[in-house]
């Protein structure tokens, strides 16, 4: 984990400089940038990368996206799993010819936002060889805001892929719930919650891979959330300790149920829902690695926020400034 953090820091110093003015990088800096980029992509995509034979200008990251565009009178929707700072690959059995300009609507599935962007087809193929039939598009006429959006998505995907290894951001929260398995009902308490699942505090966990029935009570919204969930990991901590428990992944919850969870998470982090039971904080914390530029008394640079809420944030810093700074 620390090796990845050092790798990301080294890459981002050069990548930030490249984003501002790519011509400012010397030959050795360009070589270092390629090496760092290939190491990051190798870790993210789990395949060998060779910096000496890969001259691409921008980094690519795995990220789930919906992309919509018009081809003639037809509205086409595609799922994409890879985004680059300079463009995107879209699978298609009948891709437009190179030089075709498209207006794309990009919807990152993890963020719940969308934005429009112009792109040009730079190559297309109908062959089924790697990467398969489709087209490579280059983003064009980017505004400063569009470029920043793409850069933020890329930076977030790198941190999530290498430092978090989670598909969903979590909040720390205590909610009462009923969990039913093996014909028994258990009244439990959550430790954290996300759109992907919940971690419950218990002494005896259901066997991994088993499915359970969840009924989570959310009094602040006068609602409940219920669905089938699967036990995906359990804690190795001694029974009865603060961390003893089990991670439960939601199994195909519907959109309405997810919106209930999303609304609660947002309102808890923003302080619109006050703490309940034995929660020590007024604001819920969004537990997520977020790229952060900082200035301290004796240093400045780029680091990570580990968690954040309306009341403050926790900054990862090797030499933290004194309290009150």
């Amino acid at each position: 984990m620390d090796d990845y953090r050092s790798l990301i820091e080294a890459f981002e110093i050069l990548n930030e400089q490249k984003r501002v003015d790519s011509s400012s990088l010397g030959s050795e800096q360009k070589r270092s940038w390629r090496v760092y980029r290939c190491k990051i992509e190798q870790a993210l995509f789990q395949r060998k990368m060779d910096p000496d034979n890969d001259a691409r200008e921008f980094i690519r990251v795995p990220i789930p996206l919906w992309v919509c565009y018009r081809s003639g009178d037809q509205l086409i929707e595609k799922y994409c799993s890879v985004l680059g700072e300079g463009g995107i690959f879209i699978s298609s059995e009948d891709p437009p010819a190179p030089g075709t300009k498209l207006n794309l609507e990009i919807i990152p599935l993890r963020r719940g936002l969308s934005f429009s962007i112009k792109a040009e087809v730079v190559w297309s193929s109908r062959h089924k060889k790697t990467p398969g039939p489709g087209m490579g598009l280059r983003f064009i006429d980017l505004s400063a805001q569009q470029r920043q959006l793409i850069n933020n998505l890329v930076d977030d995907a790198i941190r999530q892929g290498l430092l978090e290894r989670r598909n969903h951001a979590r909040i720390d929260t205590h909610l009462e719930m009923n969990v039913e398995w093996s014909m028994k009902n258990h009244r439990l308490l959550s430790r954290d919650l996300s759109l992907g699942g919940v971690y419950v505090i218990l002494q005896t966990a259901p066997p991994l891979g088993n499915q359970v029935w969840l009924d989570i009570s959310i009094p602040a919204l006068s609602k409940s959330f219920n669905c089938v969930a699967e036990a995906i990991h359990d804690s190795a901590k001694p029974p009865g300790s603060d961390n003893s428990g089990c991670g439960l992944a939601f199994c195909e919850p519907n959109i309405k149920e997810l919106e209930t969870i999303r609304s609660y998470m947002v309102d808890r982090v923003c302080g619109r829902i006050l703490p309940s039971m034995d929660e020590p904080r007024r604001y819920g914390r969004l537990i997520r690695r977020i790229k952060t530029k900082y200035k301290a008394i004796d240093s400045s640079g780029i680091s990570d926020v580990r968690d954040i809420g309306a009341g403050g944030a926790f900054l990862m810093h090797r030499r933290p400034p004194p309290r009150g700074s």
Side-chain angles (χ1 to χ4, degrees), residues 282-299:
R282 177 178 179 182
Y283 303 101
R285 297 177 302 162
L286 186 69
I287 304 169
R288 186 64 180 269
R289 299 275 185 163
I290 303 172
K291 178 183 175 183
T292 307
K293 295 180 180 179
Y294 69 89
K295 288 185 179 180
I297 293 174
D298 57 353
S299 63

Side-chain angles (χ1 to χ4, degrees), residues 2-17 25 29 32-37 39-40 159 302 318:
D2 288 336
D3 290 342
Y4 282 144
R5 186 178 296 112
S6 299
L7 172 62
I8 291 171
E9 289 175 356
F11 173 76
E12 285 184 338
I13 290 173
L14 293 176
N15 204 41
E16 284 294 321
Q17 184 179 342
L25 295 181
Q29 289 177 311
S32 296
W33 180 89
R34 286 199 307 274
V35 170
Y36 297 150
R37 174 181 60 75
K39 286 182 177 180
I40 290 172
R159 277 174 157 67
I302 300 172
R318 288 192 175 92

Side-chain angles (χ1 to χ4, degrees), residues 49-81:
M49 307 290 294
D50 182 2
D52 292 325
N53 295 308
D54 191 334
R56 283 182 296 105
E57 187 180 354
F58 300 102
I59 190 168
R60 297 176 300 175
V61 296
I63 182 173
L65 304 166
W66 276 109
V67 179
C68 305
Y69 63 94
R70 286 198 172 274
S71 179
D73 295 331
Q74 187 178 9
L75 178 63
I76 298 176
E77 297 181 348
K78 292 288 186 179
Y79 174 80
C80 298
S81 59

Side-chain angles (χ1 to χ4, degrees), residues 18-227:
K18 178 177 175 294
R19 285 171 175 174
V20 175
D21 181 8
S22 60
S23 64
S24 66
L25 295 181
S27 57
E28 286 300 316
Q29 289 177 311
K30 290 179 180 178
R31 165 67 181 170
S32 296
W33 180 89
R34 286 199 307 274
V35 170
Y36 297 150
R37 174 181 60 75
C38 285
K39 286 182 177 180
I40 290 172
E41 290 187 359
Q42 181 171 303
L44 291 174
F45 292 101
Q46 294 296 299
R47 62 172 177 260
K48 187 72 174 176
M49 307 290 294
D50 182 2
D52 292 325
N53 295 308
D54 191 334
R56 283 182 296 105
E57 187 180 354
F58 300 102
I59 190 168
R60 297 176 300 175
V61 296
I63 182 173
L65 304 166
W66 276 109
V67 179
C68 305
Y69 63 94
R70 286 198 172 274
S71 179
D73 295 331
Q74 187 178 9
L75 178 63
I76 298 176
E77 297 181 348
K78 292 288 186 179
Y79 174 80
C80 298
S81 59
V82 178
L83 174 69
E85 287 186 0
I88 193 170
F89 173 81
I90 299 178
S91 297
S92 175
E93 297 290 339
D94 187 24
T100 304
K101 292 181 172 58
L102 300 174
N103 291 316
L104 306 178
E105 182 78 10
I106 296 180
I107 308 169
L109 300 186
R110 291 173 184 155
R111 288 202 171 196
L113 56 83
S114 65
F115 59 96
S116 299
I117 201 165
K118 293 180 180 179
E120 179 182 358
V121 180
V122 292
W123 65 268
S124 62
S125 173
R126 290 179 169 84
H127 297 294
K128 294 186 178 181
K129 298 179 180 179
T130 302
M135 55 184 168
L137 295 102
R138 175 175 59 90
F139 299 138
I140 57 175
D141 301 331
L142 291 178
S143 68
Q145 183 180 19
Q146 289 171 327
R147 189 174 297 280
Q148 190 62 52
L149 269 171
I150 293 169
N151 291 346
N152 287 345
L153 286 171
V154 169
D155 292 341
D156 187 55
I158 292 172
R159 277 174 157 67
Q160 180 177 328
L162 298 187
L163 301 180
E164 273 192 82
R165 305 298 179 92
R166 291 180 182 271
N167 289 331
H168 303 278
R170 300 166 292 153
I171 66 167
D172 58 335
T173 189
H174 295 173
L175 291 172
E176 289 186 343
M177 66 188 68
N178 287 315
V179 183
E180 183 180 328
W181 79 87
S182 297
M183 304 298 290
K184 292 182 180 180
N185 187 67
H186 305 263
R187 189 70 175 171
L188 303 174
L189 196 66
S190 70
R191 193 186 71 186
D192 59 55
L193 175 71
S194 77
L195 292 177
V198 62
Y199 188 94
V200 295
I201 301 171
L202 47 73
Q203 292 188 6
T204 304
L208 298 186
N210 275 26
Q211 291 190 341
V212 303
W213 175 256
L214 278 181
D215 184 3
I216 305 175
S217 176
I218 309 179
L221 299 180
S222 300
K223 294 182 179 180
S224 63
F225 172 93
N226 48 70
C227 75

